[in-house]
């Protein structure tokens, strides 16, 4: 079994910053890609940023230059630094990871989500 636990969400004013963290634990042999997704009320879940095990990153166009994804492979953690936040960034943010178990099986795991609200 694997757990992904997110932290760091909250309420911030427009233009402010937040840092989200995600920690993976459990039956982990290796972690391939890790990513952050978000879902606003009435909208589908959308990809925000991803990072591979070798550090290659991708970003949703609307967050490029404002958000930075990073990871610590030794600690099985990923972070999302969010700067210059806008009201349209308001959503529940989810961490995801493609994890290979010691038995050689890969599966996509999800965290429980953390609320980010950008409002004055």
């Amino acid at each position: 079994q694997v757990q992904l636990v997110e932290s760091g969400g909250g309420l911030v004013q427009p233009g402010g910053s937040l840092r989200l963290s995600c920690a993976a634990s459990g039956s982990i042999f290796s972690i391939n890609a890790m990513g952050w997704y978000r879902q606003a009320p009435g909208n589908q879940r959308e990809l925000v940023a991803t990072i591979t095990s070798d550090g290659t990153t991708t970003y949703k166009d609307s967050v490029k230059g404002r958000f930075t994804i990073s990871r610590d492979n030794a600690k099985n953690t990923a972070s999302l630094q969010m700067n210059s936040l806008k009201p349209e960034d308001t959503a529940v943010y989810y961490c995801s990871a493609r994890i290979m178990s010691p038995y050689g099986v890969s599966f996509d795991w999800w965290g429980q989500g953390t609320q980010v609200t950008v409002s004055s």
Side-chain angles (χ1 to χ4, degrees):
Q1 193 70 4
V2 171
Q3 273 193 318
L4 295 182
V5 178
E6 300 113 332
S7 60
L11 172 64
V12 64
Q13 292 187 341
S17 298
L18 281 175
R19 185 176 181 86
L20 305 183
S21 296
C22 172
S25 62
S27 185
I28 298 171
F29 177 76
S30 65
I31 301 179
N32 189 358
M34 300 186 77
W36 289 94
Y37 293 72
R38 68 187 183 189
Q39 187 168 18
N43 291 354
Q44 291 186 333
R45 190 172 297 189
E46 61 180 11
L47 177 64
V48 176
T50 63
I51 185 167
T52 63
S53 57
D54 65 359
T56 301
T57 59
T58 63
Y59 294 94
K60 178 180 174 61
D61 284 346
S62 63
V63 308
K64 286 180 181 177
R66 300 189 297 122
F67 291 9
T68 302
I69 188 171
S70 60
R71 65 188 282 177
D72 185 328
N73 291 332
K75 297 181 178 179
N76 291 335
T77 60
S79 296
L80 185 68
Q81 177 66 41
M82 304 185 294
N83 299 327
S84 302
L85 283 161
K86 304 176 181 180
E88 51 263 43
D89 295 318
T90 295
V92 178
Y93 283 70
Y94 298 90
C95 175
S96 178
R98 177 157 294 179
I99 296 175
M100 179 177 287
S101 75
Y103 310 103
V105 178
S106 289
F107 193 75
D108 291 337
W109 295 88
W110 292 85
Q112 80 286 356
T114 184
Q115 177 70 47
V116 172
T117 302
V118 185
S119 175
S120 55

